[in-house]
């Protein structure tokens, strides 16, 4: 995944549990998807599933989902 797939600011994949970082959207973008150039060329979309972080007992990381053609 390259930065151009989700270029807008404020799209994070990790929020520290301390000091209410998630509700204030003070996160970091540390979860990545690595691919060969041939596979990267097949990416048609990328989603950061922020809803996975909202559940009870959720991880501090969220999934990065790639759509491939």
């Amino acid at each position: 995944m390259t930065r151009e797939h989700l270029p807008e600011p404020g799209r994070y994949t990790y929020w520290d549990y301390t000091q209410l970082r998630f509700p204030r959207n003070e996160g970091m973008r540390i979860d990545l998807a690595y691919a060969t150039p041939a596979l990267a060329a097949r990416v048609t979309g990328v989603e950061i599933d922020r809803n996975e972080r909202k559940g009870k007992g959720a991880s501090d990381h969220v999934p990065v989902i790639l759509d491939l053609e």
Side-chain angles (χ1 to χ4, degrees):
M1 179 173 72
T2 60
R3 189 81 177 154
E4 61 264 10
H5 287 293
L6 289 170
E8 61 274 359
R11 300 291 308 261
Y12 304 118
T13 61
Y14 169 85
W15 296 264
D16 192 326
Y17 275 113
T18 62
Q19 301 177 11
L20 299 172
R21 300 280 190 212
F22 184 72
R24 295 194 315 239
N25 200 33
E26 294 175 351
M28 292 184 276
R29 187 134 173 214
I30 62 174
D31 296 275
L32 305 171
Y34 290 97
T36 63
L39 184 60
R42 296 178 47 206
V43 175
T44 59
V46 177
E47 177 73 26
I48 295 173
D49 191 357
R50 195 172 187 274
N51 287 327
E52 284 293 321
R53 177 62 173 78
K54 295 177 182 178
K56 199 171 230 181
S59 173
D60 46 6
H61 297 258
V62 295
V64 176
I65 303 162
L66 301 176
D67 292 323
L68 304 170
E69 64 175 24

